Amino acid sequence: MYPCGNCRAVAVGPDGRCAACGTYQQQLQQPSAPLQTPQMPGGYPAAPPMGMPAGGVDLRRGLSTTLTVLFGVALPALIFVLVGRGDQYGVIADMVDSGWATDQTLKDLEDADDVYTTGAVLYFFIMVAIAVVWAIWFRRLRLNAEVFAPGRHRFGSGWAAGAWFTPVVNLWFPKQIANDIWRASSPSGPHEVRRGLLNAWWVTWIVAAVANAIGTIRYNALRAKTDDHLMSYAEAKSNLGELRDILAVEVFATVVLIAAAILALLLVRQITAMQERRASLPPQMAGPAPYGMPAPNPYGAPSPGAAPYGAPSPGAAPYGAPAPGPAPYGAPRMPPTPPPPPPGRPGQQPPPYGQG
């Protein structure tokens, strides 16, 4: 008996099935006698049955539950940030409409900046916690996906955590890793994968991150110029107009970021449920088809009309019987079968040619 990766009960037998929860968590034990490797049409060996490796997949929900709570806390913080950005936009818009910045409007702008800064600092600390837990959780998903589909991933498990913190490549490496994880964790098979939720989350996250970074950098630079009392009226009005436009982009980016956080929360729940359902399936066939051969059905589903494993194919010669056809190279040829005797009485020779 071995511990189960799902319920942690020591109830996994030699067949790999947990007697407590029913999930397959262990690689099937190899029999003492070697088995004949099944052959596919054309002489190619078929892929062996794929079970769970020793130790099984890790289906504990601690990390996913922590992420769910953190995203639930991040949403109010993002709303707080949105309120602060909205106040900044309103004050700047009043300055642009009035054509000048009074002492009261400048004080209102400082108050709006304080509200935004408070929300941004709160959200920053929450995001640090989310980033750490997300990297650990994402790497665990990658390790589980390697169990479900070994050798079918473009990046190693180290990239699953490190790609998020590597500049430039963090714009597409994590999405490719997530695609491989999603495909391998699909209970219906890798050929029937719908990644609408995954794609929507990634698009909103990238759009919000890029727009927010550009808007924040540009706003801080222009905001510093508004405190310069030596600016001309034309320069001040131009800067205020640009500030208003930048804040409009920032408000949009924050709204998109809220949508990305909601989609990320749904993604955590969805992919956790997918891996739990995938782990509950019995060991299945895996492996790509050889070159020129038709691809196997998803996750080892038997092909239509295929004979069961170990059963002779229809029309095939029994095991050990010589296959019909020409003799192998160098083997003695069998004497030809004599033709049947001509019709007539037994023992009577046919008349010579031309006599009848």
Side-chain angles (χ1 to χ4, degrees):
M1 290 291 187
Y2 298 91
C4 174
N6 183 31
C7 65
R8 315 309 296 175
V10 184
V12 180
D15 60 346
R17 186 175 183 274
C18 177
C21 62
T23 59
Y24 284 83
Q25 298 291 312
Q26 192 83 8
Q27 186 176 7
L28 295 179
Q29 300 294 325
Q30 298 295 332
S32 56
L35 296 177
Q36 296 291 335
T37 303
Q39 299 290 323
M40 296 180 63
Y44 296 98
M50 182 189 70
M52 303 302 172
V57 295
D58 193 344
L59 300 176
R60 291 173 294 179
R61 290 192 174 188
L63 292 176
S64 60
T65 302
T66 303
L67 281 175
T68 302
V69 173
L70 287 175
F71 278 117
V73 176
L75 286 173
L78 281 173
I79 294 175
F80 195 5
V81 171
L82 181 62
V83 171
R85 281 302 192 200
D87 291 343
Q88 290 173 330
Y89 178 83
V91 174
I92 295 295
D94 292 341
M95 290 182 181
V96 173
D97 293 339
S98 62
W100 194 251
T102 63
D103 292 338
Q104 181 61 38
T105 54
L106 289 176
K107 184 179 182 304
D108 293 339
L109 183 59
E110 291 178 357
D111 294 339
D113 287 343
D114 293 338
V115 172
Y116 169 77
T117 303
T118 302
V121 170
L122 179 62
Y123 174 70
F124 171 78
F125 285 111
I126 297 175
M127 277 302 300
V128 170
I130 289 177
V132 173
V133 180
W134 181 279
I136 301 173
W137 172 77
F138 199 71
R139 183 176 182 273
R140 178 182 293 181
L141 292 183
R142 171 63 180 81
L143 293 174
N144 290 345
E146 183 67 30
V147 175
F148 300 143
R152 296 189 179 186
H153 299 267
R154 288 168 281 187
F155 301 94
S157 58
W159 275 112
W164 296 97
F165 308 103
T166 305
V168 182
V169 300
N170 57 4
L171 296 177
W172 73 88
F173 274 25
K175 178 57 166 61
Q176 292 180 330
I177 298 173
N179 287 342
D180 294 341
I181 293 174
W182 189 280
R183 187 182 302 108
S185 304
S186 174
S188 58
H191 303 292
E192 298 182 6
V193 177
R194 296 177 177 87
R195 297 193 296 265
L197 176 61
L198 181 63
N199 294 335
W201 160 74
W202 183 253
V203 170
T204 54
W205 163 251
I206 291 296
V207 170
V210 173
N212 190 40
I214 296 175
T216 300
I217 294 173
R218 188 58 182 161
Y219 175 81
N220 292 334
L222 291 174
R223 180 67 179 85
K225 292 182 179 181
T226 58
D227 297 331
D228 186 4
H229 299 284
L230 300 178
M231 268 193 308
S232 64
Y233 174 78
E235 290 177 343
K237 187 174 182 180
S238 175
N239 288 336
L240 288 176
E242 191 170 353
L243 268 177
R244 182 187 58 183
D245 297 338
I246 290 297
L247 284 173
V249 174
E250 277 285 283
V251 170
F252 167 77
T254 306
V255 172
V256 177
L257 193 58
I258 292 175
I262 296 174
L263 292 174
L265 191 151
L266 297 177
L267 180 68
V268 170
R269 300 182 61 180
Q270 175 69 21
I271 200 167
T272 300
M274 287 173 60
Q275 290 204 341
E276 289 177 353
R277 291 197 302 269
R278 176 66 182 87
S280 66
L281 299 177
Q284 299 158 343
M285 301 294 289
Y291 177 74
M293 301 300 297
N297 285 353
Y299 286 88
S303 301
Y309 173 72
S313 301
Y319 179 75
Y329 177 76
R333 294 182 175 273
M334 299 297 293
T337 304
R345 291 192 301 272
Q348 181 180 3
Q349 299 292 332
Y353 178 74
Q355 300 182 6

